[in-house]
Amino acid sequence: MIELELLAPAKNLESGIAAITHGADAVYIAASKFGAREKAGNPIEDIEQLCSFAHQYHAKVYVTVNTIIYDQEIDEVQNLIHSIYKAGADAIIIQDFSILKMDIPPIALHASTQMHNLTPEHINFLSSFGISRVVLPRELSVDEIKNIRNKTQVELEFFVHGALCVSYSGQCYMSQALFNRSANRGACAQPCRLSYDLIDEHGNTLLKNKHLLSLKDLNLSRHIDELVNSGVTSFKIEGRLKDIGYVKNITAYYSNLLNQFIGSNKDYKRSSSGRCTHSFTPDPEKSFNRGFSSHFINGRILNQASFNTPKSIGKKIGKVKGVGKNFITISLTEKLNNGDGLCFFNPQNELVGFRVNKVVENKIYPNRMVNGLHSGLIIYRNEDFEFEQLLSRESASRKINCELKVHFSPTKIAFLLVDEDGTTVKKELSNSFEEAHNQNILSQIETQLKKTGNTIFEIKSVSFNANYLPFIPIKEINRLRRELLDELLKKRLLNHKREIRNIQNIHPKLPYENLTYKSNVSNRLSRTFFKELGVNSIQPAFEIQEPDDNVELMVTRYCIKYELNLCPIKQNARPTGKLYLKNRYGIFPLVFDCKSCTMKVMKPKN
């Protein structure tokens, strides 16, 4: 059986527990530092508590240690990894090659997408140093993933939902260059979400004040079958800075999709245990989104960017039918509630929002009448008050199915409790009870034995093998049931297996001899690592020493020319000449590498 994993983000312990409860097979979370999201750190005590909770279900916890590391931090990182391992984490996600030179425990290593895992050669190189999983770049197509799968042995993890970085991960230096906030250090200021003018080489403005680098959010919910068939086994949701309602909704949605796939494909199963029930109907459009894109999964497409706003637009719910003095009417596709947040694009294509004060029949009374409302206008709901209220409460449960076999004889009473993974616990005691003459006693005993309360277990069936019916007090039955369930939980935790890192003795030759700043070498251990492998020249990381000339601040597969139907090769458009992005931070030359079909945003010249 091939195991499939749904991997959900956790900003903190509460979000991590919610992700597991709502259907995640694994969560990824940061410790106190070095987690590529500086505002999402967590104490080791919380990591340990999350591991204990997750491991009940044989779900896993991966801890992000995926920033670049400075020399003075090496000992701190090394000690942190030991603490993470001691806390029970199943793997760490890394970016910096210095970790491969550290004295660390045999914890499993996953290569962050920031390690630029684009080719089978690079991935096999990582594998030889004990990396058992790679997080593939979001920009890959199904065919490219298949090629990697056919030429490598590591586990493949792929993002299926959430915000998209326009740049190849680990290859964006724009935030560092403009604001001294390094994306590779978890401090990205998101310059890609800013507005820019697009100007030509003659100074003409082709587009003004548009979010030209701000992509829509990823949604590959319609591509699960393709991704499984391409070799992906871990399906990752982006969002370690998102709120808990987002985590609950999106996790539940993709958990249901994986279950549907497995229901029709018996060679697959989930990598963790338990059955989730939700008190709401998951809907990704009801959580934060900038509109959705399938990105490059089936090749280059149009409408990848959200030019008019980097904010959430939510879900389209209808069109304005009429505008009154203090109300509007909308032809609705969904029920509206008091407190909902609605938005629309005004004639200047600016996103404008208002809140619903009350709904009376077909009339919606906003908290304020805003300019730009007119008949035919498309209305979106970017905050569903009632849905958020549902998510704010206990909105899911996750239970592990068990069966209980009971044997009664005149001298002995035996219990055998077996869970869905085959974990068993036994309990025997001498039969010192009087014989029961009421034949309904079995039904009464069964009812009591099935009461599992707030435990993670659900006893689906109780079977009896009885040639003697003892009269067992309810108090005794409850005690026996509690002891059985406690022992089963302890045994499940003991049975949880963590992967041990396996390092090969032979390493493939590096496919390059010289490293530029884009290899992000920021400390002495990573320099030693590459020098021992025969690298001749190692340029320091951008954060250590900013290069002087022809600095590529960003390399992206997304192309503004293509997005605007200006590509001379694929769209037969007229040549544009040189193009630039311009805002108050500078004029950024754009370089279009048509051979590799990529776009580069260059550092402004002084």
Side-chain angles (χ1 to χ4, degrees):
M1 296 283 281
I2 299 173
E3 293 185 348
L4 301 180
E5 173 188 277
L6 177 61
L7 176 56
K11 181 178 183 179
N12 51 32
L13 172 62
E14 183 186 13
S15 286
I17 289 174
I20 298 295
T21 305
H22 286 72
D25 301 294
V27 295
Y28 62 107
I29 187 170
S32 55
K33 292 176 70 175
F34 310 110
R37 296 288 187 278
E38 67 176 4
K39 295 181 180 179
N42 294 279
I44 286 295
E45 293 77 14
D46 284 4
I47 303 290
E48 185 172 14
Q49 192 173 335
L50 180 58
C51 289
S52 296
F53 182 83
H55 292 171
Q56 299 175 108
Y57 300 98
H58 295 319
K60 296 178 179 179
V61 176
Y62 309 138
V63 180
T64 55
V65 190
N66 58 339
T67 64
I68 61 171
I69 299 162
Y70 294 153
D71 277 326
Q72 65 271 23
E73 297 168 333
I74 287 173
D75 289 343
E76 185 181 3
V77 171
Q78 186 169 275
N79 292 334
L80 177 64
I81 294 171
H82 279 274
S83 297
I84 290 169
Y85 183 70
K86 187 177 179 181
D90 295 275
I92 56 173
I93 305 169
I94 69 169
Q95 174 185 8
D96 201 298
F97 281 92
S98 66
I99 291 174
L100 301 179
K101 294 290 290 181
M102 291 182 186
D103 178 17
I104 60 173
I107 191 168
L109 301 180
H110 296 176
S112 168
T113 185
Q114 290 161 281
M115 295 186 91
H116 211 47
N117 309 314
L118 269 172
T119 66
E121 293 76 20
H122 180 71
I123 291 169
N124 283 327
F125 170 76
L126 296 176
S127 175
S128 72
F129 286 93
I131 288 175
S132 57
R133 176 187 293 188
V134 296
V135 188
L136 295 173
R138 295 168 173 87
E139 292 84 359
L140 295 182
S141 69
V142 165
D143 289 340
E144 288 167 325
I145 296 171
K146 284 180 181 177
N147 180 55
I148 288 173
R149 173 70 295 150
N150 291 336
K151 296 176 181 178
T152 63
Q153 297 298 318
V154 297
E155 295 177 3
L156 301 181
E157 180 181 305
F158 196 68
F159 282 96
V160 292
H161 197 94
L164 284 166
C165 293
V166 66
S167 174
Y168 280 107
S169 295
Q171 305 288 296
C172 186
Y173 308 96
M174 205 162 182
S175 178
Q176 174 68 24
L178 298 184
F179 308 111
N180 199 32
R181 291 175 54 180
S182 168
N184 283 316
R185 295 277 293 170
C188 183
Q190 295 192 308
C192 57
R193 303 297 180 190
L194 298 177
S195 60
Y196 297 87
D197 296 341
L198 182 65
I199 59 177
D200 66 17
E201 58 192 8
H202 305 294
N204 299 313
T205 300
L206 307 183
L207 282 174
K208 188 169 182 62
N209 198 31
K210 294 295 181 183
H211 302 272
L212 296 169
L213 297 175
S214 183
L215 299 187
K216 295 178 180 178
D217 289 353
L218 182 66
N219 183 333
L220 297 183
S221 57
R222 296 182 179 178
H223 301 272
I224 298 300
D225 294 32
E226 293 174 81
L227 289 170
V228 173
N229 292 329
S230 73
V232 172
T233 54
S234 179
F235 301 83
K236 189 172 193 174
I237 298 167
E238 181 277 337
R240 279 193 293 128
L241 293 178
K242 296 291 202 308
D243 61 42
I244 194 169
Y246 175 95
V247 172
K248 289 179 176 182
N249 182 31
I250 304 303
T251 300
Y253 181 72
Y254 279 89
S255 181
N256 289 344
L257 289 179
L258 281 183
N259 288 341
Q260 290 169 20
F261 174 84
I262 289 170
S264 303
N265 297 271
K266 301 305 181 184
D267 292 333
Y268 296 88
K269 68 174 185 176
R270 298 291 291 269
S271 63
S272 64
S273 311
R275 177 179 54 86
C276 296
T277 55
H278 308 110
S279 62
F280 64 99
T281 302
D283 183 349
E285 289 189 287
K286 291 187 176 183
S287 288
F288 183 101
N289 73 84
R290 302 174 176 90
F292 290 125
S293 168
S294 61
H295 211 29
F296 290 95
I297 198 66
N298 290 134
R300 188 174 293 278
I301 58 172
L302 291 169
N303 300 316
Q304 288 185 289
S306 178
F307 282 175
N308 294 322
T309 181
K311 298 178 181 179
S312 176
I313 62 172
K315 185 173 187 176
K316 179 181 174 181
I317 59 159
K319 290 184 179 181
V320 174
K321 290 174 63 178
V323 181
K325 182 179 180 181
N326 62 344
F327 68 88
I328 58 175
T329 56
I330 304 175
S331 57
L332 292 169
T333 58
E334 294 199 7
K335 175 179 172 288
L336 281 183
N337 307 292
N338 297 348
D340 282 354
L342 304 185
C343 60
F344 64 92
F345 290 98
N346 66 15
Q348 291 75 42
N349 279 321
E350 300 165 331
L351 189 68
V352 180
F354 59 89
R355 194 167 292 278
V356 175
N357 262 0
K358 64 178 179 178
V359 181
V360 180
E361 296 179 347
N362 66 336
K363 294 181 179 179
I364 292 93
Y365 292 84
N367 64 331
R368 61 191 179 95
M369 292 296 289
V370 294
N371 294 329
L373 288 167
H374 60 82
S375 295
L377 188 70
I378 295 175
I379 298 291
Y380 302 86
R381 175 164 58 187
N382 57 5
E383 186 174 346
D384 187 325
F385 181 78
E386 187 174 90
F387 189 70
E388 291 299 325
Q389 289 297 107
L390 280 174
L391 293 177
S392 70
R393 299 189 284 268
E394 189 173 326
S395 49
S397 65
R398 182 169 180 167
K399 297 290 186 178
I400 295 170
N401 290 337
C402 305
E403 61 178 27
L404 179 59
K405 298 178 181 179
V406 184
H407 176 72
F408 293 142
S409 75
T411 59
K412 182 176 69 173
I413 299 176
F415 296 86
L416 177 66
L417 184 62
V418 184
D419 70 20
E420 62 187 57
D421 297 309
T423 313
T424 63
V425 292
K426 299 177 183 179
K427 199 164 193 64
E428 291 186 359
L429 64 158
S430 299
N431 189 354
S432 59
F433 304 103
E434 296 180 4
E435 184 175 4
H437 299 289
N438 179 0
Q439 292 299 314
N440 290 328
I441 189 70
L442 289 182
S443 176
Q444 296 170 17
I445 292 173
E446 179 180 0
T447 298
Q448 289 304 122
L449 289 174
K450 281 188 170 183
K451 293 180 178 180
T452 54
N454 292 325
T455 72
I456 65 168
F457 301 107
E458 182 173 356
I459 298 176
K460 300 294 288 184
S461 67
V462 179
S463 59
F464 295 96
N465 179 3
N467 53 26
Y468 178 89
L469 295 180
F471 181 78
I472 308 177
I474 289 176
K475 182 179 179 181
E476 187 68 12
I477 294 172
N478 291 340
R479 181 186 67 80
L480 289 166
R481 183 195 64 235
R482 284 195 300 270
E483 290 179 1
L484 282 165
L485 294 174
D486 286 346
E487 288 183 25
L488 183 60
L489 179 57
K490 290 176 183 176
K491 195 166 185 180
R492 286 187 65 84
L493 290 171
L494 286 172
N495 286 350
H496 181 78
K497 291 181 174 58
R498 290 196 288 176
E499 179 189 344
I500 301 299
R501 187 169 72 257
N502 179 33
I503 302 175
Q504 299 174 19
N505 293 321
I506 301 174
H507 307 298
K509 189 176 185 299
L510 270 174
Y512 30 75
E513 294 182 355
N514 301 305
L515 301 182
T516 71
Y517 65 92
K518 295 204 292 186
S519 292
N520 300 323
V521 177
S522 58
N523 59 70
R524 64 183 183 274
L525 283 187
S526 52
R527 283 194 297 274
T528 299
F529 175 84
F530 286 114
K531 283 183 178 179
E532 289 177 351
L533 292 168
V535 175
N536 296 321
S537 172
I538 301 174
Q539 193 174 8
F542 191 101
E543 291 80 358
I544 300 295
Q545 180 180 323
E546 188 170 323
D548 294 328
D549 299 316
N550 289 327
V551 179
E552 298 172 5
L553 294 183
M554 182 187 295
V555 181
T556 170
R557 203 169 194 176
Y558 158 77
C559 178
I560 287 176
K561 278 190 180 183
Y562 188 87
E563 186 77 354
L564 296 172
N565 280 301
L566 296 176
C567 176
I569 295 176
K570 295 182 181 294
Q571 296 164 323
N572 295 318
R574 291 181 181 178
T576 60
K578 294 179 180 179
L579 296 178
Y580 303 83
L581 296 179
K582 178 183 177 182
N583 65 8
R584 62 193 176 107
Y585 299 108
I587 299 175
F588 304 87
L590 298 178
V591 173
F592 298 92
D593 185 345
C594 295
K595 185 176 180 180
S596 64
C597 210
T598 57
M599 181 181 77
K600 300 172 183 178
V601 180
M602 308 300 289
K603 180 183 175 182
K605 293 183 179 179
N606 295 329

